[in-house]
C-alpha cells in the first residue's frame, strides 16, 4: 500500500501549480476570444482560489462555515469550489435543476453562510434562503449580491492589506477538516447531506494513478452535475492531482460537437448517455438498406467473438482478425469518431451499466469501463482498462477493503469514507458500523476478485409467491431496446411482474409505418400501432432471456418520460421508484385489476 500523504485539496492544487505552472488547466468556450476559449493555467487557477478564499474571509466567512454552490458545471464553479476549500469552509454543491423550493430548503438545512449562484435569474429563484452573502458566478451586479470578480477584488485588497493572510489560512485548514457537503441522490429515500474531509478526498485521488494513468497530455470534457461525487472526484479533483486539463461544454445541445472538437482521451458519462448513443446507432441502422444492416451486425458478431478471445488471453484467429480490420475501418471507427476518435478511457459511473452495453462498446473498439462509488464512500472500485470485465464494477482501489455480508450486502472500509450525515447521527450510525460502510448494494465477488452489483437492498422485489427479483438487472435488459427510454419494474408482494415503459420518440418515429405519427405529442406516439407492435416484440425478446418468475406479464406505455420536476428522477437520472410508483399508481392498479 502507498504511503499516506496527508494534505488538503488546495495543497494538491498548489503542488500541481508548482510543477506545471503556466500549462493549461481549464478551458471554457468563449466566442469573444481568438481561440474560442477562456483558458486558465494552473498558476491562474491557484491564484483565483487564493483571491476567492481571502475574499470570503473578508466577508466574515470562516473555517467550518458552509458555503453553497448552485450552478451548472463550469469554469467559475471550479474556481469557487477551490476558493471555498482554501478558506477552510465547507463546499456544498446543489443540483441547479431541482425545483427552487427544494433548493431553498436545502440551503437552510445546510446552514449556508454564503452561496455562489450561476446568474441573477438563479439568485432571484433562491433569494428567500437564509444566506448572508450571495455571489454571482456570471453576469453583472444584482441587488444584494457580489460578482465573482468583485469577490476576487476584495480578496486582492485583503492580501495587500495583510500579506500574511493566505499563509495563515493555509496553515489553519487541516486535512482532517470537512471539505465537501454532498447531497445524496435520494434514489431510495429522502436526500441526506454527507460530510467528507480533505483527507478522504485526497486519499481517493491519490489512488487514481494506480488504476487510471492520466496526465497533462490527456484531456476530458466536464458536463455532469458538479454536485455529484463522480463528477467532483473524477473530473474536478483527480485532474488537479494528475495535471489533466478540463474543457467545459457550451450547452447540452452542443455537447456532441464539443466532444468532437475537444477529442478527449478520457470521458466519463452515466449509463443513460451510453444507452442513448447505442439507441441512436440502432435507430440510424433501421434507416439503412438491409445489406448495410446485415454487414454491421455481422461485423459486430465478429467483434464480440474477438473480444471474448482477448478477455480469455487467447489470440484472435486470423479468420476473425482479418475481416474485422476491414469492418473496423469501414464501420466502427465512425462510431468512435462521435467521441473525437482519441478516447483511451471511456468510463461509466453514477448508476449500474448493463453487461450487454459494455460488450457492445468493447466490440466497436471503445471499451466502456465501469467503476463504482457512492457519496458516503468515494470512488471505491474501478475496472482496469487493460483487463476489464463487462458487467463488473471492477476491483477495489489500492487501500480499499471490501467484503460481502451474510445477506449479500457490499461493505466497504478505507480512508475514503465520509465522516457522517450532517446533523443526523442516527442515520450515520445505521450505515457506518465498526468502521465498515454498509452500502445498501447487493454484490458478489468472482474468483478473480472482480465485484458485480446485483441490485439495491431497498429495491428488492419479493413476489407474493416468495420469489426474489432484483429490478435493476431486468430493467437493464429492457434499456437495451432502442424503443424504450425508461422502465420501472413493479411486483413487490404481488403475484407477477409488470412494467411501466416510457418511449424514445426519435426511435419510435423511425419505425416503419410511422409517417402519419411524426411530430405528434408523445402521448399520441405511444398509441401508434407500429409502436405497440414493436414494444410487444421487445417484451418478448427480453422475456426470452429471463426466468419465468422474472418475466413481465403486463405493461403500460406512459404518455411522458419520468422527470426531475415531477420528482421521479434524481439529478443523475436514477429513477426514484417510490415517487414514480406514487405518480403512476392509477396505471399500476389497472395492470393488476381483474383476471390476468
Amino acid at each position: 500500500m502507498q504511503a499516506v500523504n496527508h494534505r488538503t485539496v488546495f495543497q494538491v492544487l498548489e503542488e500541481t501549480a508548482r510543477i506545471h505552472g503556466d500549462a493549461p488547466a481549464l478551458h471554457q468556450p468563449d466566442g469573444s476570444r481568438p481561440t474560442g476559449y477562456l483558458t486558465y493555467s494552473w498558476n491562474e487557477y491557484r491564484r483565483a482560489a487564493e483571491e476567492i478564499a481571502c475574499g470570503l474571509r473578508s466577508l466574515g466567512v470562516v473555517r467550518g462555515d458552509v458555503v453553497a454552490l448552485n450552478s451548472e458545471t463550469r469554469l467559475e464553479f471550479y474556481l469557487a469550489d477551490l476558493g471555498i476549500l482554501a478558506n477552510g469552509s465547507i463546499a456544498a454543491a446543489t443540483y441547479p435543476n431541482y425545483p427552487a423550493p427544494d433548493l431553498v430548503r436545502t440551503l437552510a438545512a445546510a446552514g449556508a453562510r454564503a452561496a455562489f449562484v450561476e446568474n441573477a435569474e438563479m439568485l432571484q429563484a433562491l433569494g428567500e434562503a437564509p444566506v448572508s452573502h450571495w455571489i454571482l458566478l456570471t453576469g453583472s451586479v444584482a441587488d444584494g449580491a457580489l460578482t465573482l470578480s468583485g469577490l476576487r477584488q476584495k480578496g486582492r485588497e485583503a492580501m495587500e492589506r495583510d500579506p500574511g493572510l493566505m499563509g495563515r489560512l493555509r496553515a489553519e485548514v487541516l486535512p482532517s477538516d470537512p471539505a465537501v457537503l454532498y447531497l445524496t441522490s435520494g434514489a431510495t429515500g429522502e436526500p441526506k447531506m454527507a460530510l467528507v474531509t480533505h483527507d478522504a478526498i485526497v486519499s481517493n485521488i491519490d489512488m487514481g494513478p494506480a488504476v487510471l494513468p492520466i496526465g497533462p497530455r490527456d484531456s476530458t470534457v466536464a458536463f455532469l452535475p458538479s454536485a455529484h461525487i463522480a463528477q467532483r472526484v473524477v473530473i474536478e479533483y483527480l485532474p488537479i492531482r494528475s495535471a489533466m486539463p478540463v474543457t467545459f461544454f457550451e450547452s447540452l445541445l452542443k455537447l456532441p460537437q464539443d466532444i468532437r472538437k475537444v477529442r478527449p482521451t478520457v470521458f466519463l458519462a452515466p449509463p443513460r448517455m451510453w444507452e442513448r448513443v447505442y439507441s441512436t446507432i440502432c435507430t440510424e441502422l433501421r434507416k439503412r438498406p438491409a445489406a448495410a444492416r446485415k454487414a454491421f451486425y455481422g461485423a459486430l458478431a465478429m467483434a464480440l467473438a474477438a473480444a471474448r478471445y482477448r478477455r480469455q488471453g487467447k489470440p484472435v484467429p486470423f479468420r476473425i482478425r482479418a475481416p474485422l480490420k476491414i469492418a473496423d475501418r469501414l464501420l466502427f471507427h465512425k462510431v468512435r469518431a462521435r467521441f473525437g476518435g482519441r478516447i483511451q478511457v471511456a468510463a461509466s459511473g453514477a448508476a449500474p451499466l448493463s453487461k450487454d452495453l459494455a460488450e457492445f462498446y468493447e466490440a466497436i473498439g471503445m471499451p466502456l469501463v465501469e467503476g463504482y462509488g457512492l457519496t458516503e464512500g468515494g470512488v471505491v472500485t474501478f475496472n482496469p482498462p487493460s483487463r476489464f470485465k463487462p458487467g463488473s464494477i471492477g476491483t477495489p482501489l489500492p487501500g480499499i477493503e471490501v467484503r460481502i455480508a451474510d445477506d449479500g450486502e457490499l461493505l466497504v472500509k478505507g480512508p475514503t469514507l465520509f465522516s457522517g450525515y450532517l446533523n443526523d447521527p442516527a442515520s450515520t450510525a445505521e450505515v457506518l458500523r465498526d468502521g465498515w460502510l454498509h452500502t445498501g448494494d447487493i454484490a458478489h465477488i468472482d474468483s478473480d476478485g472482480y465485484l458485480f452489483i446485483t441490485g439495491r437492498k431497498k429495491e428488492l422485489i419479493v413476489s407474493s409467491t416468495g420469489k426474489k427479483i432484483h429490478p435493476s438487472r431486468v430493467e437493464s435488459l429492457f434499456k437495451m431496446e432502442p424503443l424504450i427510454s425508461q422502465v420501472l419494474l413493479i411486483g413487490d408482494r404481488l403475484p407477477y411482474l409488470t412494467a411501466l415503459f416510457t418511449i424514445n420518440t426519435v426511435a419510435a418515429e423511425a419505425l416503419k409505418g410511422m409517417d402519419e405519427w411524426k411530430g405528434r405529442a408523445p402521448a399520441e406516439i405511444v398509441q401508434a400501432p407500429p409502436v405497440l407492435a414493436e414494444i410487444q416484440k421487445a417484451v418478448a425478446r427480453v422475456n426470452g432471456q429471463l426466468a419465468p418468475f422474472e418475466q413481465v406479464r403486463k405493461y403500460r406505455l406512459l404518455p411522458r418520460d419520468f422527470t426531475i420536476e415531477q420528482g421521479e428522477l434524481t439529478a443523475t437520472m436514477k429513477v426514484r421508484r417510490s415517487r414514480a410508483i406514487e405518480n403512476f399508481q392509477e396505471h399500476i392498479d389497472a395492470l393488476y385489476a381483474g383476471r390476468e
Side-chain angles (χ1 to χ4, degrees):
M1 189 187 297
Q2 59 192 26
V4 178
N5 184 359
H6 298 285
R7 58 217 195 280
T8 66
V9 176
F10 177 67
Q11 286 168 348
V12 177
L13 175 59
E14 286 184 313
E15 290 169 2
T16 300
R18 273 197 300 272
I19 297 167
H20 298 280
D22 294 327
L26 306 172
H27 302 284
Q28 182 153 280
D30 184 345
S32 68
R33 296 172 184 269
T35 61
Y37 288 95
L38 165 64
T39 296
Y40 267 64
S41 69
W42 293 106
N43 280 332
E44 289 168 328
Y45 195 173
R46 186 207 70 233
R47 183 64 178 175
E50 290 174 343
E51 291 172 359
I52 291 165
C54 293
L56 287 171
R57 190 55 64 101
S58 73
L59 296 177
V61 178
V62 299
R63 174 189 176 206
D65 282 345
V66 173
V67 179
L69 289 148
N70 192 63
S71 167
E72 298 291 349
T73 294
R74 54 184 306 119
L75 180 146
E76 294 85 356
F77 180 104
Y78 279 36
L79 303 183
D81 193 28
L82 267 291
I84 294 166
L85 301 186
N87 183 49
S89 300
I90 303 168
T94 54
Y95 292 101
N97 50 3
Y98 276 10
D102 290 355
L103 292 171
V104 170
R105 283 194 295 273
T106 299
L107 294 183
R113 283 287 313 282
F116 290 84
V117 292
E118 186 162 351
N119 50 38
E121 183 183 0
M122 204 171 275
L123 171 62
Q124 189 173 9
L126 304 181
E128 294 179 12
V131 171
S132 301
H133 305 284
W134 295 94
I135 303 108
L136 297 181
L137 291 177
T138 67
S140 55
V141 179
D143 289 341
L146 270 170
T147 61
L148 184 61
S149 60
L151 180 68
R152 290 181 64 176
Q153 178 62 32
K154 280 183 175 291
R156 288 192 292 273
E157 291 168 358
M159 286 189 279
E160 286 169 8
R161 289 193 304 270
D162 181 359
L165 175 59
M166 190 60 223
R168 289 198 305 279
L169 294 189
R170 187 184 187 282
E172 181 184 289
V173 187
L174 303 176
S176 57
D177 286 345
V180 172
L181 184 65
Y182 285 113
L183 184 69
T184 66
S185 69
T188 58
E190 284 303 308
K192 298 182 182 72
M193 288 178 280
L195 281 165
V196 181
T197 65
H198 287 268
D199 230 347
I201 293 168
V202 174
S203 294
N204 214 175
I205 61 176
D206 276 348
M207 296 170 183
V211 293
L212 195 61
I214 56 175
R217 296 192 177 189
D218 289 291
S219 62
T220 191
V221 176
F223 75 100
L224 290 170
S226 282
H228 194 276
I229 190 167
Q231 159 64 29
R232 201 76 158 278
V233 172
V234 181
I235 306 296
E236 182 183 351
Y237 299 145
L238 181 59
I240 295 174
R241 169 68 172 75
S242 307
M244 177 176 70
V246 175
T247 300
F248 300 90
F249 70 107
E250 187 170 349
S251 71
L252 280 176
L253 287 176
K254 293 184 177 179
L255 183 60
Q257 295 96 301
D258 288 341
I259 292 168
R260 285 195 291 270
K261 186 176 180 181
V262 175
R263 302 182 68 227
T265 60
V266 178
F267 188 68
L268 170 70
R272 182 81 171 146
M273 178 167 178
W274 301 113
E275 288 161 3
R276 279 299 176 95
V277 172
Y278 171 78
S279 177
T280 300
I281 293 165
C282 292
T283 300
E284 290 171 0
L285 278 171
R286 282 181 179 277
K287 300 174 184 177
R288 299 290 178 86
R293 293 199 301 273
K294 186 177 179 182
F296 186 89
Y297 288 119
L300 185 60
M302 281 192 298
L304 288 167
R308 283 193 294 273
Y309 278 107
R310 284 192 291 267
R311 253 182 274 126
Q312 293 165 5
K314 299 176 181 177
V316 179
F318 180 78
R319 61 182 170 79
I320 295 177
R321 193 171 68 247
L324 200 52
K325 277 187 179 179
I326 300 168
D328 187 78
R329 190 168 64 248
L330 296 177
L331 301 170
F332 300 148
H333 93 278
K334 293 178 181 177
V335 180
R336 297 195 297 273
R338 295 173 189 232
F339 296 91
R342 288 203 313 153
I343 285 188
Q344 300 298 310
V345 179
S348 179
L353 178 76
S354 89
K355 180 173 183 268
D356 290 345
L357 201 63
E359 288 179 340
F360 168 78
Y361 283 100
E362 179 189 21
I364 64 168
M366 199 170 76
L368 181 54
V369 296
E370 189 174 7
Y372 170 82
L374 64 169
T375 305
E376 297 86 350
V379 180
V380 298
T381 72
F382 195 69
N383 254 293
S386 59
R387 50 184 183 88
F388 83 107
K389 281 192 181 185
S392 164
I393 56 167
T395 55
L397 299 184
I400 299 286
E401 294 178 65
V402 298
R403 78 177 192 208
I404 307 297
D406 292 341
D407 64 356
E409 183 177 7
L410 175 64
L411 310 185
V412 175
K413 181 187 278 190
T416 64
L417 301 192
F418 82 137
S419 306
Y421 297 117
L422 183 69
N423 303 325
D424 193 351
S427 294
T428 301
E430 189 181 331
V431 299
L432 272 182
R433 291 176 242 158
D434 300 321
W436 289 92
L437 174 66
H438 291 243
T439 66
D441 286 309
I442 303 297
H444 68 271
I445 304 175
D446 73 6
S447 58
D448 297 322
Y450 285 72
L451 280 146
F452 294 78
I453 297 291
T454 310
R456 293 285 295 170
K457 275 178 75 172
K458 290 184 179 179
E459 293 179 352
L460 182 68
I461 290 174
V462 182
S463 71
S464 59
T465 60
K467 297 291 188 181
K468 294 180 179 179
I469 302 111
H470 292 288
S472 60
R473 175 179 169 270
V474 178
E475 288 168 351
S476 69
L477 292 173
F478 278 108
K479 287 180 192 172
M480 288 295 290
E481 293 291 337
L483 191 56
I484 294 173
S485 176
Q486 292 157 333
V487 55
L488 180 66
L489 208 63
I490 313 292
D492 195 40
R493 290 169 293 177
L494 291 164
Y496 53 87
L497 288 185
T498 62
L500 301 179
F501 297 124
T502 72
I503 296 302
N504 179 343
T505 53
V506 174
E509 290 183 348
L511 293 173
K512 187 177 180 180
M514 282 295 291
D515 290 345
E516 63 177 289
W517 302 88
K518 286 182 180 177
R520 294 200 192 182
E524 293 181 67
I525 289 175
V526 299
Q527 298 301 325
V531 171
L532 296 175
E534 187 57 36
I535 284 290
Q536 193 171 14
K537 293 176 187 174
V539 171
R541 279 193 294 267
V542 173
N543 277 346
Q545 303 172 61
L546 298 169
F549 66 89
E550 296 177 303
Q551 293 175 358
V552 168
R553 303 277 187 92
K554 293 182 179 182
Y555 57 87
R556 276 288 179 99
L557 305 187
L558 299 180
R560 64 169 177 83
D561 258 342
F562 298 138
T563 68
I564 292 169
E565 292 72 23
Q566 296 295 327
E568 297 136 1
L569 293 179
T570 70
T572 52
M573 308 308 285
K574 294 176 189 168
V575 176
R576 280 200 176 112
R577 306 184 74 84
S578 57
R579 181 63 69 83
I581 288 170
E582 179 186 321
N583 288 359
F584 293 100
Q585 190 64 57
E586 188 179 333
H587 292 269
I588 295 167
D589 290 342
L591 289 169
Y592 291 97
R595 297 175 64 84
E596 183 182 347

